[in-house]
Amino acid sequence: MLSRYKLGPITRRDFTSRNSSWATEETLKSRQTQPSVSVGDYVSFGSYRQSSSSTTKTAIEWQVLDVDGSKALLISRYCLDCVQFNSSQKEVKWDCSTVRQWLNDTFLYNAFSSDERSHIQETDIETKSNPYYGISGGSDTCDKVFLLSMDEAEKYFCNDEDRRANATSYAKAQGAQVYTQGAWWRLRSPGMFDYSVTSVYASGKISTDGDAVSDYGCAIRPAIWVDTSAID
Protein backbone atom coordinates (compact mmCIF):
# COMPACT_ATOMS: atom_id res chain seq x y z
CA MET A 1 0.00 0.00 0.00
CA LEU A 2 1.22 3.44 -0.87
CA SER A 3 1.58 5.68 2.12
CA ARG A 4 0.00 9.10 1.86
CA TYR A 5 1.78 12.27 2.89
CA LYS A 6 1.16 15.94 2.58
CA LEU A 7 3.77 18.31 1.19
CA GLY A 8 4.45 21.27 3.38
CA PRO A 9 4.75 24.77 1.87
CA ILE A 10 7.97 25.62 -0.01
CA THR A 11 9.80 28.22 1.98
CA ARG A 12 11.99 31.02 0.62
CA ARG A 13 14.99 29.12 1.95
CA ASP A 14 13.97 26.00 0.01
CA PHE A 15 13.47 28.03 -3.17
CA THR A 16 16.85 29.75 -2.80
CA SER A 17 18.56 26.44 -2.16
CA ARG A 18 16.99 24.82 -5.19
CA ASN A 19 17.80 27.84 -7.40
CA SER A 20 21.39 27.72 -6.17
CA SER A 21 21.62 24.04 -7.10
CA TRP A 22 20.17 24.65 -10.55
CA ALA A 23 22.53 27.60 -11.04
CA THR A 24 25.50 25.42 -10.13
CA GLU A 25 24.45 22.80 -12.66
CA GLU A 26 24.00 25.45 -15.37
CA THR A 27 27.40 26.94 -14.55
CA LEU A 28 29.06 23.54 -14.86
CA LYS A 29 27.35 22.90 -18.19
CA SER A 30 28.42 26.34 -19.41
CA ARG A 31 32.02 25.71 -18.41
CA GLN A 32 32.01 22.34 -20.15
CA THR A 33 30.85 23.90 -23.43
CA GLN A 34 33.23 26.86 -23.34
CA PRO A 35 36.32 26.50 -25.56
CA SER A 36 39.56 25.71 -23.76
CA VAL A 37 41.49 28.32 -25.73
CA SER A 38 40.96 31.98 -26.57
CA VAL A 39 42.00 34.22 -29.43
CA GLY A 40 45.53 35.47 -28.81
CA ASP A 41 46.64 32.42 -26.83
CA TYR A 42 49.80 30.52 -27.72
CA VAL A 43 49.52 26.75 -27.70
CA SER A 44 51.72 23.77 -28.58
CA PHE A 45 50.68 21.13 -31.10
CA GLY A 46 52.79 18.83 -33.24
CA SER A 47 56.58 19.04 -33.63
CA TYR A 48 59.02 20.09 -36.32
CA ARG A 49 62.73 20.62 -36.76
CA GLN A 50 63.44 24.20 -35.71
CA SER A 51 67.17 24.29 -35.05
CA SER A 52 69.78 24.47 -37.79
CA SER A 53 72.27 22.67 -35.56
CA SER A 54 70.10 19.72 -34.51
CA THR A 55 67.82 17.29 -36.34
CA THR A 56 65.67 16.84 -33.24
CA LYS A 57 62.07 17.96 -33.67
CA THR A 58 60.62 20.29 -31.03
CA ALA A 59 57.07 21.35 -30.20
CA ILE A 60 55.48 23.81 -32.61
CA GLU A 61 54.09 26.97 -31.03
CA TRP A 62 50.88 28.30 -32.55
CA GLN A 63 48.96 31.53 -32.18
CA VAL A 64 45.19 31.21 -31.87
CA LEU A 65 43.57 33.44 -34.49
CA ASP A 66 39.94 32.37 -34.14
CA VAL A 67 37.71 30.03 -32.16
CA ASP A 68 34.53 28.59 -33.66
CA GLY A 69 32.72 26.23 -31.32
CA SER A 70 34.96 23.24 -30.69
CA LYS A 71 37.63 24.16 -33.25
CA ALA A 72 40.34 26.80 -33.38
CA LEU A 73 42.26 28.45 -36.19
CA LEU A 74 46.00 28.36 -35.53
CA ILE A 75 48.98 29.88 -37.32
CA SER A 76 52.55 29.01 -36.43
CA ARG A 77 54.08 31.61 -34.15
CA TYR A 78 57.35 31.44 -36.08
CA CYS A 79 58.10 30.89 -39.74
CA LEU A 80 58.98 27.19 -39.85
CA ASP A 81 60.49 26.61 -43.28
CA CYS A 82 61.25 28.13 -46.65
CA VAL A 83 59.50 26.64 -49.71
CA GLN A 84 58.74 28.19 -53.09
CA PHE A 85 55.08 28.90 -53.78
CA ASN A 86 55.69 27.05 -57.02
CA SER A 87 58.77 25.23 -58.22
CA SER A 88 58.63 26.80 -61.68
CA GLN A 89 57.73 30.28 -62.91
CA LYS A 90 54.35 30.13 -64.61
CA GLU A 91 50.71 31.12 -64.19
CA VAL A 92 49.64 29.17 -61.12
CA LYS A 93 47.18 29.57 -58.24
CA TRP A 94 46.99 28.09 -54.75
CA ASP A 95 45.04 25.01 -55.90
CA CYS A 96 47.86 23.83 -58.20
CA SER A 97 50.83 25.23 -56.30
CA THR A 98 53.89 23.34 -55.12
CA VAL A 99 53.57 24.73 -51.60
CA ARG A 100 49.98 23.46 -51.19
CA GLN A 101 51.11 19.93 -52.06
CA TRP A 102 54.10 20.25 -49.72
CA LEU A 103 52.00 21.47 -46.80
CA ASN A 104 49.40 18.71 -47.12
CA ASP A 105 51.91 15.94 -47.64
CA THR A 106 55.51 16.47 -46.52
CA PHE A 107 54.78 18.96 -43.73
CA LEU A 108 51.55 17.32 -42.53
CA TYR A 109 53.15 13.89 -42.11
CA ASN A 110 56.42 15.22 -40.73
CA ALA A 111 54.95 17.61 -38.16
CA PHE A 112 52.01 15.60 -36.80
CA SER A 113 51.43 12.08 -35.51
CA SER A 114 48.55 9.96 -36.79
CA ASP A 115 46.49 10.93 -33.75
CA GLU A 116 47.28 14.63 -34.16
CA ARG A 117 46.37 14.52 -37.85
CA SER A 118 42.96 13.09 -36.93
CA HIS A 119 42.25 16.28 -34.94
CA ILE A 120 43.12 18.62 -37.81
CA GLN A 121 39.99 19.67 -39.69
CA GLU A 122 39.68 19.42 -43.46
CA THR A 123 38.80 22.99 -44.38
CA ASP A 124 37.05 24.37 -47.45
CA ILE A 125 39.45 27.00 -48.76
CA GLU A 126 38.31 29.89 -50.92
CA THR A 127 41.01 32.09 -52.38
CA LYS A 128 39.41 35.32 -53.53
CA SER A 129 40.59 37.41 -56.46
CA ASN A 130 43.10 40.17 -55.75
CA PRO A 131 40.80 43.13 -54.94
CA TYR A 132 43.24 45.66 -56.39
CA TYR A 133 44.04 43.98 -59.71
CA GLY A 134 41.18 41.51 -60.22
CA ILE A 135 43.49 38.53 -60.66
CA SER A 136 41.61 35.28 -60.01
CA GLY A 137 42.48 33.22 -56.94
CA GLY A 138 41.79 29.94 -58.71
CA SER A 139 39.56 27.02 -57.73
CA ASP A 140 38.38 26.31 -54.20
CA THR A 141 40.17 23.52 -52.34
CA CYS A 142 39.76 21.32 -49.28
CA ASP A 143 42.92 21.26 -47.16
CA LYS A 144 44.16 20.32 -43.72
CA VAL A 145 47.08 22.75 -43.88
CA PHE A 146 47.06 26.04 -45.74
CA LEU A 147 48.48 29.55 -45.95
CA LEU A 148 46.44 32.59 -44.97
CA SER A 149 44.90 34.67 -47.74
CA MET A 150 45.41 38.40 -48.03
CA ASP A 151 41.98 39.15 -46.53
CA GLU A 152 42.56 36.69 -43.66
CA ALA A 153 45.90 38.34 -42.88
CA GLU A 154 44.04 41.64 -42.61
CA LYS A 155 41.13 40.16 -40.64
CA TYR A 156 43.01 38.23 -37.99
CA PHE A 157 45.80 40.71 -37.22
CA CYS A 158 45.11 44.19 -35.86
CA ASN A 159 48.02 45.93 -37.55
CA ASP A 160 51.38 45.53 -39.28
CA GLU A 161 53.20 44.97 -36.00
CA ASP A 162 50.92 42.04 -35.11
CA ARG A 163 51.68 40.42 -38.46
CA ARG A 164 55.45 40.41 -37.90
CA ALA A 165 57.02 37.03 -37.29
CA ASN A 166 60.53 35.76 -36.71
CA ALA A 167 61.89 32.63 -38.38
CA THR A 168 63.42 29.59 -36.72
CA SER A 169 67.11 29.02 -37.30
CA TYR A 170 66.16 26.00 -39.41
CA ALA A 171 63.96 28.17 -41.67
CA LYS A 172 66.83 30.64 -42.02
CA ALA A 173 69.17 27.82 -43.00
CA GLN A 174 66.64 26.76 -45.62
CA GLY A 175 66.84 30.21 -47.20
CA ALA A 176 64.24 32.33 -45.39
CA GLN A 177 65.02 36.02 -45.75
CA VAL A 178 65.11 37.68 -42.34
CA TYR A 179 65.49 41.36 -41.60
CA THR A 180 65.65 43.52 -38.46
CA GLN A 181 61.88 43.43 -37.92
CA GLY A 182 61.39 39.78 -38.78
CA ALA A 183 60.91 37.42 -41.71
CA TRP A 184 59.19 37.82 -45.07
CA TRP A 185 56.34 35.27 -45.17
CA ARG A 186 54.03 33.88 -47.81
CA LEU A 187 50.27 34.28 -48.35
CA ARG A 188 48.17 32.28 -50.86
CA SER A 189 46.37 35.15 -52.63
CA PRO A 190 47.41 36.14 -56.17
CA GLY A 191 49.40 39.31 -56.82
CA MET A 192 49.08 41.79 -59.67
CA PHE A 193 49.77 39.12 -62.31
CA ASP A 194 48.70 35.49 -62.82
CA TYR A 195 52.27 34.43 -62.12
CA SER A 196 52.68 36.40 -58.88
CA VAL A 197 51.58 35.78 -55.29
CA THR A 198 51.19 37.99 -52.23
CA SER A 199 53.17 37.96 -49.01
CA VAL A 200 53.77 39.80 -45.74
CA TYR A 201 56.89 41.94 -45.56
CA ALA A 202 59.20 41.79 -42.54
CA SER A 203 57.61 45.10 -41.47
CA GLY A 204 54.22 43.36 -41.27
CA LYS A 205 52.82 45.23 -44.25
CA ILE A 206 50.95 43.12 -46.81
CA SER A 207 52.44 43.08 -50.29
CA THR A 208 49.32 43.40 -52.47
CA ASP A 209 51.38 43.51 -55.71
CA GLY A 210 53.08 40.24 -54.85
CA ASP A 211 56.20 38.70 -56.30
CA ALA A 212 57.07 35.85 -58.66
CA VAL A 213 55.58 32.49 -57.67
CA SER A 214 59.01 30.85 -58.03
CA ASP A 215 60.81 33.40 -55.83
CA TYR A 216 62.87 31.76 -53.13
CA GLY A 217 63.40 33.24 -49.68
CA CYS A 218 59.80 33.74 -48.58
CA ALA A 219 59.17 31.85 -45.33
CA ILE A 220 56.21 29.62 -44.48
CA ARG A 221 53.74 30.05 -41.59
CA PRO A 222 51.33 27.10 -41.84
CA ALA A 223 47.73 27.50 -40.68
CA ILE A 224 45.31 24.80 -39.49
CA TRP A 225 41.86 24.41 -37.98
CA VAL A 226 42.12 21.93 -35.09
CA ASP A 227 39.83 20.44 -32.45
CA THR A 228 40.25 22.41 -29.25
CA SER A 229 40.19 19.15 -27.28
CA ALA A 230 43.54 18.29 -28.82
CA ILE A 231 45.23 21.42 -27.48
CA ASP A 232 43.95 21.49 -23.90
Side-chain angles (χ1 to χ4, degrees):
M1 176 183 287
L2 293 174
S3 60
R4 295 176 179 268
Y5 61 91
K6 183 178 181 180
L7 291 174
I10 298 177
T11 65
R12 183 178 180 85
R13 181 177 179 181
D14 292 331
F15 185 76
T16 302
S17 176
R18 293 179 188 184
N19 269 353
S20 176
S21 176
W22 293 332
T24 301
E25 291 177 5
E26 289 301 316
T27 300
L28 288 173
K29 289 179 181 178
S30 175
R31 287 177 180 173
Q32 289 171 354
T33 58
Q34 287 178 351
S36 55
V37 295
S38 301
V39 172
D41 286 351
Y42 290 101
V43 298
S44 294
F45 183 70
S47 59
Y48 198 68
R49 182 178 175 183
Q50 298 181 60
S51 171
S52 59
S53 60
S54 172
T55 58
T56 302
K57 295 194 291 186
T58 55
I60 303 172
E61 282 190 78
W62 304 84
Q63 180 179 348
V64 180
L65 297 182
D66 194 10
V67 178
D68 182 7
S70 61
K71 63 180 183 178
L73 174 60
L74 312 180
I75 188 171
S76 64
R77 182 175 185 175
Y78 304 105
C79 299
L80 297 178
D81 213 321
C82 184
V83 177
Q84 291 168 289
F85 185 80
N86 203 65
S87 58
S88 61
Q89 183 58 27
K90 62 180 183 179
E91 294 184 6
V92 66
K93 312 299 180 186
W94 164 254
D95 59 307
C96 295
S97 65
T98 301
V99 73
R100 176 180 174 240
Q101 181 179 359
W102 179 84
L103 285 168
N104 286 278
D105 187 355
T106 304
F107 177 78
L108 179 65
Y109 285 87
N110 191 8
F112 307 105
S113 66
S114 176
D115 180 64
E116 288 168 337
R117 290 195 298 273
S118 71
H119 290 287
I120 300 174
Q121 302 282 318
E122 288 193 340
T123 305
D124 292 328
I125 302 295
E126 177 189 8
T127 304
K128 298 178 181 178
S129 299
N130 187 304
Y132 302 98
Y133 302 104
I135 302 300
S136 169
S139 301
D140 294 350
T141 60
C142 185
D143 302 315
K144 278 184 175 275
V145 192
F146 53 96
L147 301 179
L148 294 187
S149 64
M150 189 163 56
D151 52 309
E152 289 167 342
E154 292 175 341
K155 174 183 177 180
Y156 292 120
F157 296 96
C158 297
N159 50 49
D160 291 352
E161 185 176 356
D162 284 347
R163 274 187 290 271
R164 295 175 191 168
N166 288 314
T168 63
S169 64
Y170 175 73
K172 294 175 187 177
Q174 295 303 105
Q177 294 183 14
V178 179
Y179 305 88
T180 304
Q181 293 175 308
W184 170 42
W185 55 279
R186 179 65 65 208
L187 300 176
R188 71 173 191 270
S189 299
M192 65 187 300
F193 302 111
D194 285 309
Y195 47 82
S196 62
V197 63
T198 54
S199 59
V200 175
Y201 292 131
S203 65
K205 181 180 178 181
I206 296 173
S207 167
T208 57
D209 292 355
D211 44 86
V213 295
S214 62
D215 272 4
Y216 204 80
C218 201
I220 301 298
R221 292 183 77 183
I224 55 176
W225 278 97
V226 65
D227 297 333
T228 56
S229 61
I231 51 176
D232 283 351

